[in-house]
Coordinates of all heavy atoms in Angstrom, one line a residue:
Chain A
T245 N 14.4 -27.8 -79.1 CA 14.7 -28.7 -78.1 C 13.5 -29.0 -77.3 O 12.9 -28.0 -76.9 CB 15.9 -28.3 -77.3 OG1 17.0 -28.0 -78.1 CG2 16.3 -29.3 -76.1
L246 N 13.1 -30.1 -77.0 CA 11.8 -30.5 -76.2 C 12.0 -31.3 -74.9 O 12.7 -32.2 -75.0 CB 11.0 -31.2 -77.2 CG 10.3 -30.4 -78.3 CD1 9.5 -31.4 -79.3 CD2 9.2 -29.5 -77.9
V247 N 11.3 -30.7 -73.9 CA 11.3 -31.5 -72.6 C 9.8 -31.8 -72.4 O 9.0 -30.7 -72.2 CB 11.9 -30.7 -71.5 CG1 12.0 -31.5 -70.2 CG2 13.3 -30.3 -71.9
G248 N 9.4 -33.1 -72.4 CA 8.1 -33.5 -72.3 C 7.5 -33.2 -71.0 O 8.2 -33.2 -69.9
R249 N 6.2 -33.4 -70.8 CA 5.5 -33.2 -69.6 C 5.9 -34.0 -68.5 O 6.1 -35.2 -68.6 CB 3.9 -33.4 -70.0 CG 3.0 -33.1 -68.9 CD 1.6 -33.2 -69.5 NE 0.8 -32.9 -68.2 CZ 0.5 -33.9 -67.4 NH1 1.1 -35.2 -67.6 NH2 -0.4 -33.8 -66.2
G250 N 6.1 -33.4 -67.4 CA 6.4 -34.2 -66.1 C 7.9 -34.7 -66.1 O 8.2 -35.5 -65.1
A251 N 8.8 -34.5 -67.0 CA 10.2 -34.9 -66.9 C 10.8 -34.2 -65.8 O 10.6 -33.0 -65.4 CB 10.8 -34.6 -68.3
K252 N 11.6 -35.0 -65.1 CA 12.4 -34.4 -63.9 C 13.9 -34.5 -64.1 O 14.4 -35.5 -64.4 CB 11.9 -35.3 -62.7 CG 10.6 -35.3 -62.4 CD 9.9 -34.0 -62.0 CE 8.4 -34.1 -61.7 NZ 7.6 -32.9 -61.7
I253 N 14.6 -33.4 -64.1 CA 15.9 -33.3 -64.4 C 16.7 -32.7 -63.3 O 16.4 -31.7 -62.7 CB 16.2 -32.5 -65.7 CG1 15.4 -32.9 -66.8 CG2 17.6 -32.2 -66.0 CD1 15.3 -32.0 -68.1
D254 N 17.8 -33.4 -62.9 CA 18.5 -33.1 -61.7 C 19.5 -32.0 -61.9 O 19.5 -31.4 -63.0 CB 19.3 -34.4 -61.3 CG 19.8 -34.3 -59.7 OD1 19.5 -33.2 -59.0 OD2 20.1 -35.3 -59.2
N255 N 20.4 -31.6 -61.0 CA 21.5 -30.7 -61.0 C 22.4 -31.0 -62.2 O 22.9 -32.1 -62.4 CB 22.2 -30.4 -59.8 CG 21.2 -30.1 -58.7 OD1 20.1 -29.5 -58.9 ND2 21.7 -30.2 -57.4
L256 N 23.1 -30.0 -62.7 CA 24.4 -30.0 -63.5 C 24.3 -31.0 -64.7 O 25.1 -31.6 -65.2 CB 25.6 -30.5 -62.7 CG 26.0 -29.5 -61.5 CD1 26.8 -30.2 -60.4 CD2 26.7 -28.3 -62.1
V257 N 23.0 -31.1 -65.3 CA 22.8 -31.9 -66.4 C 23.0 -31.0 -67.7 O 22.6 -29.8 -67.7 CB 21.3 -32.5 -66.4 CG1 20.8 -33.1 -67.7 CG2 21.2 -33.5 -65.2
Q258 N 23.5 -31.7 -68.7 CA 23.6 -31.0 -70.0 C 22.6 -31.6 -71.0 O 22.6 -32.8 -71.2 CB 25.0 -31.1 -70.5 CG 25.2 -31.1 -72.0 CD 25.0 -29.6 -72.5 OE1 24.6 -28.7 -71.9 NE2 25.1 -29.5 -73.8
V259 N 21.7 -30.8 -71.6 CA 20.9 -31.3 -72.7 C 21.2 -30.5 -73.9 O 21.0 -29.2 -73.9 CB 19.4 -31.2 -72.2 CG1 18.5 -31.5 -73.5 CG2 19.1 -31.9 -71.0
A260 N 21.7 -31.2 -74.9 CA 22.2 -30.4 -76.0 C 21.0 -30.0 -77.0 O 19.9 -30.3 -76.9 CB 23.3 -31.4 -76.8
H261 N 21.5 -29.3 -78.1 CA 20.6 -28.8 -79.1 C 19.8 -30.0 -79.7 O 20.3 -31.1 -80.1 CB 21.3 -27.9 -80.2 CG 22.5 -28.5 -80.8 ND1 23.3 -28.0 -81.7 CD2 23.1 -29.9 -80.6 CE1 24.2 -28.6 -82.0 NE2 24.2 -29.8 -81.2
N262 N 18.5 -29.7 -80.0 CA 17.5 -30.6 -80.7 C 17.3 -31.9 -80.1 O 16.8 -32.9 -80.7 CB 18.1 -30.8 -82.1 CG 18.3 -29.6 -82.9 OD1 19.1 -28.9 -83.0 ND2 17.2 -29.3 -83.8
V263 N 17.6 -31.9 -78.8 CA 17.3 -33.3 -77.9 C 15.7 -33.3 -77.8 O 15.2 -32.2 -77.6 CB 18.2 -33.2 -76.7 CG1 17.5 -34.2 -75.7 CG2 19.6 -33.5 -77.0
Y264 N 15.2 -34.4 -77.6 CA 13.8 -34.6 -77.3 C 13.9 -35.5 -76.0 O 14.3 -36.6 -76.0 CB 13.1 -35.3 -78.4 CG 11.8 -35.7 -78.0 CD1 10.6 -34.9 -78.0 CD2 11.5 -37.1 -77.5 CE1 9.3 -35.5 -77.6 CE2 10.2 -37.6 -77.0 CZ 9.2 -36.7 -77.1 OH 7.9 -37.2 -76.8
I265 N 13.2 -34.9 -75.0 CA 13.0 -35.7 -73.8 C 11.5 -35.9 -73.5 O 10.8 -35.0 -73.3 CB 13.7 -34.9 -72.6 CG1 15.2 -34.8 -72.8 CG2 13.4 -35.6 -71.2 CD1 15.8 -34.0 -71.7
G266 N 11.2 -37.2 -73.4 CA 9.9 -37.6 -73.4 C 9.2 -37.3 -72.0 O 9.8 -37.0 -71.1
E267 N 7.9 -37.6 -72.0 CA 7.1 -37.3 -70.7 C 7.6 -38.2 -69.7 O 8.0 -39.4 -69.8 CB 5.7 -37.7 -71.0 CG 5.0 -36.7 -72.1 CD 3.6 -36.8 -72.1 OE1 3.0 -37.6 -71.2 OE2 3.0 -36.1 -72.8
N268 N 7.7 -37.6 -68.5 CA 8.0 -38.3 -67.2 C 9.4 -39.1 -67.2 O 9.6 -40.1 -66.5 CB 6.9 -39.3 -66.8 CG 5.5 -38.7 -66.7 OD1 5.5 -37.8 -65.9 ND2 4.5 -39.2 -67.4
V269 N 10.3 -38.6 -68.1 CA 11.6 -39.0 -68.0 C 12.3 -38.5 -66.7 O 12.0 -37.4 -66.3 CB 12.4 -38.6 -69.1 CG1 13.9 -38.7 -69.0 CG2 12.0 -39.3 -70.5
A270 N 13.2 -39.3 -66.2 CA 14.0 -38.8 -64.9 C 15.3 -39.0 -65.2 O 15.9 -40.0 -65.7 CB 13.6 -39.6 -63.7
M271 N 16.1 -37.9 -65.0 CA 17.5 -37.9 -65.3 C 18.2 -37.4 -64.0 O 18.1 -36.3 -63.6 CB 17.8 -36.9 -66.4 CG 17.2 -37.5 -67.9 SD 17.1 -36.1 -69.1 CE 18.9 -35.8 -69.3
A272 N 19.2 -38.2 -63.5 CA 19.8 -37.8 -62.4 C 21.0 -36.8 -62.7 O 21.3 -36.6 -63.8 CB 20.4 -39.0 -61.7
A273 N 21.8 -36.4 -61.6 CA 22.7 -35.3 -61.8 C 23.8 -35.6 -62.8 O 24.2 -36.7 -62.9 CB 23.3 -35.0 -60.3
Q274 N 24.3 -34.6 -63.4 CA 25.4 -34.6 -64.2 C 25.3 -35.6 -65.5 O 26.4 -35.8 -66.2 CB 26.7 -35.2 -63.4 CG 27.0 -34.0 -62.4 CD 28.1 -34.5 -61.4 OE1 28.2 -35.6 -61.1 NE2 28.9 -33.6 -61.0
V275 N 24.0 -35.9 -65.8 CA 23.9 -36.6 -67.2 C 24.2 -35.6 -68.3 O 23.9 -34.4 -68.2 CB 22.4 -37.1 -67.2 CG1 22.0 -37.4 -68.7 CG2 22.1 -38.3 -66.3
G276 N 24.6 -36.2 -69.5 CA 24.8 -35.4 -70.6 C 24.3 -36.0 -71.9 O 24.6 -37.2 -72.1
I277 N 23.4 -35.2 -72.5 CA 22.7 -35.8 -73.7 C 23.1 -35.1 -74.9 O 23.1 -33.9 -75.0 CB 21.2 -35.7 -73.6 CG1 20.7 -36.3 -72.3 CG2 20.5 -36.3 -74.8 CD1 20.8 -37.7 -72.1
S278 N 23.8 -35.7 -75.9 CA 24.4 -35.0 -77.1 C 23.3 -34.7 -78.1 O 22.1 -35.2 -78.0 CB 25.5 -35.8 -77.7 OG 26.4 -36.2 -76.9
G279 N 23.6 -34.0 -79.1 CA 22.6 -33.3 -79.9 C 21.7 -34.3 -80.6 O 22.1 -35.4 -81.1
S280 N 20.5 -34.0 -80.8 CA 19.5 -34.7 -81.6 C 19.0 -36.0 -81.0 O 18.5 -36.9 -81.7 CB 19.9 -34.7 -83.1 OG 20.1 -33.5 -83.6
S281 N 19.5 -36.4 -79.9 CA 19.2 -37.6 -79.3 C 17.7 -37.5 -78.7 O 17.2 -36.5 -78.3 CB 20.2 -38.2 -78.3 OG 21.3 -38.8 -79.0
R282 N 17.1 -38.8 -78.5 CA 15.8 -38.8 -78.0 C 15.6 -39.7 -76.8 O 16.3 -40.9 -76.9 CB 14.9 -39.3 -79.1 CG 14.9 -38.3 -80.4 CD 14.1 -39.0 -81.5 NE 12.6 -39.0 -81.2 CZ 11.7 -38.1 -81.4 NH1 12.0 -37.0 -81.7 NH2 10.5 -38.4 -80.9
I283 N 15.0 -39.4 -75.8 CA 14.7 -40.2 -74.6 C 13.2 -40.4 -74.5 O 12.5 -39.5 -74.4 CB 15.2 -39.5 -73.3 CG1 16.6 -38.8 -73.5 CG2 15.3 -40.4 -72.2 CD1 17.7 -39.6 -73.5
G284 N 12.9 -41.6 -74.7 CA 11.6 -42.1 -74.7 C 10.8 -41.8 -73.4 O 11.5 -41.8 -72.3
A285 N 9.5 -41.7 -73.4 CA 8.7 -41.5 -72.2 C 9.0 -42.4 -71.0 O 9.2 -43.7 -71.3 CB 7.2 -41.6 -72.5
G286 N 9.1 -41.9 -69.9 CA 9.3 -42.8 -68.7 C 10.7 -43.4 -68.4 O 10.9 -44.2 -67.6
A287 N 11.5 -43.2 -69.4 CA 12.8 -43.6 -69.2 C 13.7 -43.0 -68.1 O 13.2 -41.9 -67.6 CB 13.7 -43.4 -70.5
M288 N 14.4 -43.7 -67.5 CA 15.4 -43.2 -66.3 C 16.8 -43.3 -66.6 O 17.3 -44.4 -67.0 CB 15.0 -44.0 -65.0 CG 13.5 -43.9 -64.6 SD 13.1 -44.4 -63.0 CE 13.2 -46.1 -63.1
L289 N 17.5 -42.3 -66.4 CA 18.9 -42.2 -66.6 C 19.6 -41.8 -65.3 O 19.3 -40.9 -64.6 CB 19.3 -41.0 -67.6 CG 19.1 -41.6 -69.1 CD1 17.6 -41.6 -69.5 CD2 19.6 -40.4 -70.0
G290 N 20.6 -42.7 -64.9 CA 21.4 -42.5 -63.6 C 22.3 -41.4 -63.8 O 22.6 -40.9 -64.9
G291 N 22.9 -41.1 -62.6 CA 23.8 -40.0 -62.6 C 25.1 -40.2 -63.5 O 25.5 -41.3 -63.7
Q292 N 25.4 -39.0 -64.2 CA 26.7 -39.0 -65.0 C 26.6 -39.9 -66.2 O 27.6 -40.2 -66.9 CB 28.0 -39.5 -64.2 CG 28.3 -38.5 -63.0 CD 29.6 -38.9 -62.3 OE1 30.0 -40.0 -62.3 NE2 30.1 -37.8 -61.6
V293 N 25.4 -40.4 -66.6 CA 25.2 -41.0 -67.8 C 25.6 -40.1 -69.0 O 25.3 -39.0 -69.0 CB 23.9 -41.5 -68.1 CG1 23.4 -41.9 -69.5 CG2 23.6 -42.8 -67.3
G294 N 26.3 -40.6 -70.0 CA 26.5 -39.9 -71.2 C 25.8 -40.5 -72.4 O 25.8 -41.8 -72.5
M295 N 25.3 -39.8 -73.4 CA 24.7 -40.2 -74.5 C 25.1 -39.6 -75.8 O 25.1 -38.3 -75.8 CB 23.2 -40.1 -74.3 CG 22.3 -40.8 -75.4 SD 20.6 -40.7 -74.9 CE 19.9 -41.4 -76.4
A296 N 25.6 -40.3 -76.7 CA 26.1 -39.8 -77.9 C 25.0 -39.2 -78.8 O 23.7 -39.4 -78.4 CB 26.9 -40.8 -78.8
G297 N 25.3 -38.5 -79.8 CA 24.3 -37.8 -80.6 C 23.5 -38.6 -81.6 O 23.9 -39.8 -81.8
H298 N 22.2 -38.3 -81.9 CA 21.4 -39.0 -82.8 C 21.1 -40.3 -82.5 O 21.0 -41.2 -83.3 CB 22.2 -38.9 -84.3 CG 22.5 -37.4 -84.8 ND1 21.5 -36.8 -85.5 CD2 23.6 -36.7 -84.6 CE1 22.2 -35.5 -85.8 NE2 23.3 -35.6 -85.3
L299 N 20.9 -40.6 -81.2 CA 20.4 -41.9 -80.7 C 19.2 -41.8 -80.1 O 18.6 -40.7 -79.8 CB 21.6 -42.5 -79.8 CG 23.0 -42.7 -80.3 CD1 23.8 -43.2 -79.2 CD2 22.8 -43.6 -81.5
E300 N 18.6 -43.0 -79.7 CA 17.4 -43.0 -79.0 C 17.4 -44.0 -77.9 O 18.0 -45.2 -78.0 CB 16.3 -43.5 -80.1 CG 14.9 -43.5 -79.5 CD 13.8 -43.3 -80.5 OE1 14.2 -43.0 -81.8 OE2 12.6 -43.2 -80.2
V301 N 16.9 -43.5 -76.8 CA 16.6 -44.4 -75.6 C 15.1 -44.7 -75.6 O 14.4 -43.8 -75.7 CB 17.1 -43.8 -74.4 CG1 16.5 -44.5 -73.1 CG2 18.6 -43.8 -74.2
G302 N 14.8 -45.9 -75.7 CA 13.3 -46.3 -75.8 C 12.5 -46.0 -74.6 O 13.2 -45.9 -73.6
E303 N 11.3 -46.0 -74.7 CA 10.2 -45.7 -73.6 C 10.5 -46.6 -72.5 O 10.6 -47.9 -72.7 CB 8.9 -45.9 -74.1 CG 8.4 -44.8 -75.1 CD 6.9 -44.7 -75.2 OE1 6.3 -45.3 -74.4 OE2 6.5 -43.9 -76.1
G304 N 10.5 -46.1 -71.3 CA 10.6 -47.0 -70.1 C 12.0 -47.6 -69.9 O 12.2 -48.4 -68.9
A305 N 13.0 -47.3 -70.7 CA 14.3 -48.0 -70.5 C 15.0 -47.4 -69.3 O 14.7 -46.3 -68.8 CB 15.3 -47.7 -71.8
V306 N 15.9 -48.1 -68.8 CA 16.7 -47.7 -67.6 C 18.2 -47.7 -67.9 O 18.7 -48.7 -68.4 CB 16.5 -48.5 -66.3 CG1 17.4 -48.0 -65.2 CG2 15.0 -48.4 -65.9
V307 N 18.8 -46.5 -67.9 CA 20.3 -46.5 -68.1 C 21.0 -46.3 -66.8 O 20.9 -45.3 -66.1 CB 20.6 -45.3 -69.0 CG1 22.1 -45.4 -69.5 CG2 19.8 -45.4 -70.4
G308 N 21.9 -47.2 -66.3 CA 22.6 -47.2 -65.1 C 23.5 -46.1 -65.1 O 24.1 -45.6 -66.2
A309 N 23.9 -45.6 -63.8 CA 24.7 -44.5 -63.7 C 26.1 -44.7 -64.3 O 26.6 -45.8 -64.4 CB 24.9 -44.4 -62.2
Q310 N 26.6 -43.7 -64.9 CA 27.9 -43.5 -65.6 C 27.9 -44.2 -66.9 O 29.0 -44.3 -67.5 CB 29.0 -43.9 -64.7 CG 29.4 -43.0 -63.5 CD 30.7 -43.4 -63.0 OE1 31.2 -44.5 -63.0 NE2 31.6 -42.4 -62.6
A311 N 26.8 -44.9 -67.2 CA 26.8 -45.6 -68.5 C 27.1 -44.8 -69.7 O 26.7 -43.5 -69.7 CB 25.5 -46.4 -68.8
G312 N 27.8 -45.2 -70.9 CA 27.8 -44.4 -72.1 C 27.0 -44.9 -73.2 O 27.4 -46.1 -73.6
V313 N 26.0 -44.3 -73.6 CA 25.2 -44.9 -74.5 C 25.7 -44.4 -75.9 O 25.9 -43.4 -76.4 CB 23.7 -44.3 -74.4 CG1 22.9 -44.7 -75.5 CG2 23.2 -44.7 -73.0
T314 N 26.1 -45.6 -76.7 CA 26.7 -45.4 -78.0 C 25.8 -46.0 -79.2 O 26.2 -45.9 -80.4 CB 28.1 -46.0 -78.0 OG1 28.0 -47.4 -77.9 CG2 29.0 -45.4 -77.1
K315 N 24.7 -46.6 -78.7 CA 23.8 -47.1 -79.9 C 22.4 -47.0 -79.3 O 22.3 -46.9 -78.0 CB 24.2 -48.3 -80.5 CG 24.4 -49.4 -79.3 CD 24.8 -50.6 -80.2 CE 24.8 -52.0 -79.2 NZ 25.3 -53.1 -79.8
N316 N 21.3 -47.1 -80.1 CA 20.1 -47.1 -79.5 C 19.7 -48.0 -78.5 O 20.3 -49.2 -78.6 CB 19.1 -47.4 -80.6 CG 19.1 -46.2 -81.6 OD1 19.4 -45.2 -81.4 ND2 18.5 -46.5 -82.9
V317 N 19.0 -47.7 -77.5 CA 18.5 -48.7 -76.4 C 17.1 -49.0 -76.6 O 16.2 -48.1 -76.7 CB 18.7 -47.9 -75.0 CG1 18.2 -48.7 -73.9 CG2 20.3 -47.6 -74.8
P318 N 16.7 -50.2 -76.6 CA 15.3 -50.6 -76.9 C 14.5 -50.2 -75.6 O 14.9 -50.1 -74.6 CB 15.3 -52.1 -77.1 CG 16.7 -52.4 -77.2 CD 17.5 -51.3 -76.4
P319 N 13.1 -50.1 -76.0 CA 12.2 -49.7 -75.0 C 12.3 -50.8 -73.9 O 12.4 -52.0 -74.1 CB 10.8 -49.8 -75.7 CG 11.2 -49.6 -77.1 CD 12.5 -50.1 -77.3
G320 N 12.2 -50.3 -72.6 CA 12.2 -51.2 -71.5 C 13.5 -51.9 -71.2 O 13.6 -52.6 -70.1
A321 N 14.6 -51.6 -71.9 CA 15.7 -52.3 -71.6 C 16.4 -51.6 -70.4 O 16.1 -50.5 -70.0 CB 16.7 -52.3 -72.8
Y322 N 17.3 -52.5 -69.7 CA 18.2 -52.0 -68.6 C 19.6 -52.1 -69.1 O 20.0 -53.2 -69.2 CB 17.8 -52.7 -67.4 CG 18.7 -52.5 -66.2 CD1 19.4 -51.3 -66.0 CD2 19.0 -53.4 -65.3 CE1 20.1 -51.0 -65.0 CE2 19.8 -53.3 -64.2 CZ 20.4 -52.0 -64.0 OH 21.2 -51.8 -63.0
V323 N 20.2 -51.0 -69.4 CA 21.6 -51.1 -69.9 C 22.5 -50.4 -68.9 O 22.1 -49.4 -68.1 CB 21.7 -50.4 -71.2 CG1 20.8 -51.1 -72.3 CG2 21.4 -48.9 -71.1
T324 N 23.8 -50.9 -68.9 CA 24.8 -50.3 -68.1 C 26.1 -50.2 -68.9 O 26.3 -50.9 -69.9 CB 25.0 -51.1 -66.7 OG1 25.4 -52.4 -67.0 CG2 23.7 -51.0 -65.9
G325 N 27.2 -49.7 -68.1 CA 28.5 -49.9 -68.7 C 28.8 -49.0 -70.0 O 28.0 -48.2 -70.4
Y326 N 30.1 -49.1 -70.3 CA 30.6 -48.4 -71.5 C 31.3 -49.4 -72.4 O 32.2 -50.0 -71.9 CB 31.6 -47.3 -71.1 CG 32.1 -46.6 -72.4 CD1 31.4 -45.7 -73.0 CD2 33.2 -47.1 -73.0 CE1 31.8 -45.0 -74.0 CE2 33.8 -46.5 -74.1 CZ 33.1 -45.5 -74.7 OH 33.4 -45.0 -75.8
P327 N 30.8 -49.6 -73.6 CA 29.6 -48.9 -74.2 C 28.5 -49.7 -73.5 O 28.5 -50.7 -73.1 CB 29.5 -49.3 -75.6 CG 30.5 -50.5 -75.7 CD 31.5 -50.4 -74.6
A328 N 27.3 -48.8 -73.3 CA 26.1 -49.4 -72.6 C 25.6 -50.6 -73.3 O 25.4 -50.6 -74.6 CB 25.0 -48.1 -72.5

Side-chain angles (χ1 to χ4, degrees):
Chain A
T245 303
L246 283 167
V247 182
R249 192 168 167 285
K252 306 295 182 186
I253 301 175
D254 198 355
N255 297 342
L256 292 164
V257 168
Q258 156 71 359
V259 176
H261 46 183
N262 295 85
V263 164
Y264 169 86
I265 295 178
E267 297 194 0
N268 299 308
V269 164
M271 293 163 66
Q274 297 173 320
V275 163
I277 309 294
S278 302
S280 301
S281 277
R282 298 173 64 85
I283 317 283
M288 295 196 286
L289 280 65
Q292 297 184 334
V293 161
M295 185 170 172
H298 301 277
L299 294 179
E300 186 150 359
V301 165
E303 292 195 8
V306 176
V307 183
Q310 284 196 329
V313 178
T314 60
K315 53 183 189 183
N316 291 342
V317 174
Y322 171 31
V323 299
T324 59
Y326 177 84

